[in-house]
Amino acid sequence: MYIFQKSFQDSSLPDIWKSATVIPLFKKGSKLDPGNYRPVSLTCISCKIMESIIRDHIAGQLNNSACLSASQHGFTKGRSCATNLLTAFELWTKWIDEGFGVDIVYLDYRKAFDSVDHVKLIEKLFNTNIDWKLIKWISAFLQDRKMRVQVKLSFSDWVAVLSGVPQGSVLGPLLFLIFINDLPLWIRNSMILMFADDTKISRKVSKVEDSFLLQQDLDCLMEWSKYWRLDFNIDKCKIMRIQQCCHDEFKLNGNKLQEVTKEKDLGIIVTKDLKPSVQC
């Protein structure tokens, strides 16, 4: 406990607390393709214990002031993939029962957790009600981090980690939620739901003008992306149309979105008729 108190008072951390060993775990496909491995980051246990204390304190402050967006269902108390999906399906079926069509845009970020700009993150922390002493410790926690890769008994050289919330850390997911917490404020015409970085926006459609309003929201999201330096992986962003036959193109940064008839949403296969047969 003395070490934790000293670290907090001085806003400094031992080097070993900011070092990570990454182990690649094979998923599927060719073993020669690095993209078929999931990186698992191993970090210091002592630091994780202190991170847990810091995380619980920050989460309490955010919950007491209702700072976290109601659109966020990831890593938040009382919310889950199930609440995200139930909220979405309830609204989509309501719109369909009222005679509307539905446009759904599934968004994908390019290496979301690894791309968070540290300077921008600290800026966002100062915009919350988090104590400045905590922010100072978090700033030290993010600076001068390093990592190496382990394959069997061999290790790579250490390399500096210059961006992103620390993978394998306890505090990382909460820091990411804070970073994207203002994203729903940029949406004016549509519903947005998030589970950490999994984001979808949807809008009921009854006339051509409704599609224009959804496109306006996509343009606003691109402005947010450029300002906060968190890029969308546009090739993996998709549009699904439910019970409507408009053929307007939707674009992100001038690139046409791929239209799909089914999409995996938080582990559940969603189809354009909202029937569960494909999932079953």
Side-chain angles (χ1 to χ4, degrees):
M1 185 59 68
Y2 171 79
I3 295 175
F4 293 165
Q5 291 175 342
K6 183 66 173 174
S7 173
F8 185 75
Q9 290 171 358
D10 296 347
S11 298
S12 65
L13 295 84
D15 289 342
I16 194 173
W17 284 18
K18 298 191 286 185
S19 304
T21 297
V22 177
I23 298 178
L25 295 184
F26 178 68
K27 295 186 292 184
K28 59 182 179 179
S30 171
K31 290 189 175 182
L32 300 178
D33 184 356
N36 291 333
Y37 290 80
R38 183 185 306 280
V40 176
S41 184
L42 305 180
T43 57
C44 178
I45 298 298
S46 298
C47 187
K48 284 186 174 182
I49 296 173
M50 184 166 184
E51 286 179 66
S52 298
I53 299 171
I54 299 288
R55 178 202 58 194
D56 293 344
H57 183 75
I58 293 176
Q61 286 186 327
L62 295 176
N63 289 332
N64 290 337
S65 58
C67 284
L68 288 179
S69 170
S71 299
Q72 180 61 257
H73 289 250
F75 308 117
T76 54
K77 187 177 181 181
R79 296 194 163 204
S80 63
C81 292
T83 60
N84 181 297
L85 291 168
L86 287 170
T87 300
F89 273 84
E90 182 178 3
L91 188 56
W92 295 341
T93 53
K94 176 177 179 291
W95 287 342
I96 291 171
D97 289 343
E98 292 172 349
F100 297 102
V102 181
D103 279 337
I104 308 168
V105 177
Y106 289 97
L107 299 168
D108 187 87
Y109 301 94
R110 181 174 285 109
K111 298 184 179 298
F113 280 70
D114 294 329
S115 302
V116 172
D117 185 290
H118 291 166
V119 174
K120 293 288 188 181
L121 174 58
I122 297 301
E123 178 183 339
K124 290 205 170 188
L125 289 173
F126 274 111
N127 291 332
T128 66
N129 65 337
I130 298 175
D131 182 79
W132 71 270
K133 190 69 175 176
L134 274 174
I135 297 176
K136 192 175 180 182
W137 186 89
I138 292 172
S139 179
F141 171 74
L142 295 172
Q143 290 176 359
D144 301 322
R145 300 193 69 88
K146 60 182 181 179
M147 59 171 283
R148 63 179 178 178
V149 177
Q150 177 182 356
V151 177
K152 295 184 179 179
L153 298 178
S154 300
F155 297 88
S156 70
D157 294 332
W158 289 101
V159 295
V161 179
L162 304 178
S163 66
V165 294
Q167 297 285 353
S169 68
V170 174
L171 198 53
L174 180 58
L175 293 178
F176 184 79
L177 294 194
I178 293 172
F179 188 79
I180 64 170
N181 191 55
D182 67 327
L183 182 61
L185 299 178
W186 291 63
I187 301 296
R188 296 288 183 267
N189 310 304
S190 312
M191 179 193 73
I192 180 169
L193 286 171
M194 299 183 291
F195 187 89
D197 59 324
D198 284 297
T199 305
K200 54 181 172 279
I201 65 173
S202 54
R203 178 175 174 79
K204 62 183 180 182
V205 179
S206 62
K207 53 186 182 297
V208 175
E209 288 76 9
D210 292 324
S211 296
F212 295 154
L213 294 174
L214 179 56
Q215 182 60 59
Q216 287 179 7
D217 285 337
L218 292 176
D219 294 339
C220 289
L221 288 178
M222 278 307 307
E223 291 182 26
W224 181 92
S225 170
K226 291 176 181 178
Y227 182 81
W228 294 108
R229 302 173 190 169
L230 187 65
D231 295 333
F232 290 110
N233 188 350
I234 297 177
D235 290 338
K236 293 186 178 181
C237 295
K238 301 170 184 176
I239 172 75
M240 181 186 295
R241 305 176 189 275
I242 299 176
Q243 292 197 2
Q244 56 103 358
C245 57
C246 293
H247 296 289
D248 297 302
E249 293 183 352
F250 290 96
K251 297 181 178 181
L252 269 177
N253 203 31
N255 297 285
K256 180 183 175 181
L257 296 185
Q258 176 188 355
E259 184 171 345
V260 295
T261 58
K262 64 180 180 180
E263 179 67 12
K264 201 164 189 179
D265 185 355
L266 299 178
I268 300 298
I269 299 175
V270 179
T271 59
K272 65 180 300 181
D273 57 8
L274 290 186
K275 293 181 179 179
S277 54
V278 176
Q279 173 64 29
C280 292

